[in-house]
């Protein structure tokens, strides 16, 4: 995995979200066979959060590198989430 970053969604209707962007290097794996998701352990009796990330585009100058992105609710700390 390459760089990972998040930001609070400041525009549009949904201001209560974090948007995560993650660079993933797949080497010889077929991008169609890979699922990338954000994961957070369950909190307050709820089950875990698993949000599939969308593959947005290839990374410029990187063979088999792609940018993935997902938005999740900002009702808990962004540090609770891990890309996997």
């Amino acid at each position: 995995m390459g760089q990972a970053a998040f930001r609070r969604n400041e525009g549009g209707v949904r201001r209560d979200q974090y948007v995560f962007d993650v660079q993933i290097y797949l080497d010889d794996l077929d991008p169609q066979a890979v699922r990338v998701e954000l994961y957070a352990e369950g909190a307050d009796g709820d089950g875990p959060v698993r949000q599939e990330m969308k593959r947005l585009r290839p990374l410029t100058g990187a063979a088999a590198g792609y940018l993935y992105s997902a938005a999740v609710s900002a009702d808990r700390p962004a540090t609770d989430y891990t890309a996997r």
Side-chain angles (χ1 to χ4, degrees):
M1 183 166 24
Q3 294 179 344
F6 75 92
R7 64 190 179 282
R8 192 164 190 123
N9 189 1
E10 297 294 337
V13 177
R14 303 282 315 234
R15 291 180 180 244
D16 59 342
Q17 291 184 327
Y18 295 117
V19 178
F20 287 82
D21 296 318
V22 179
Q23 296 176 349
I24 303 290
Y25 298 92
L26 301 178
D27 295 324
D28 294 329
L29 296 174
D30 177 359
Q32 299 296 329
V34 173
R35 175 184 165 111
V36 179
E37 66 183 13
L38 287 177
Y39 177 83
E41 293 288 337
D44 300 325
D46 292 333
V49 176
R50 296 176 63 191
Q51 176 63 47
E52 184 171 3
M53 299 186 83
K54 293 182 181 180
R55 187 177 65 247
L56 297 182
R57 60 177 170 77
L59 297 175
T60 304
Y66 298 89
L67 180 66
Y68 286 79
S69 186
V72 292
S73 174
D75 63 353
R76 57 191 295 176
T79 54
D80 284 1
Y81 294 94
T82 302
R84 64 180 199 175

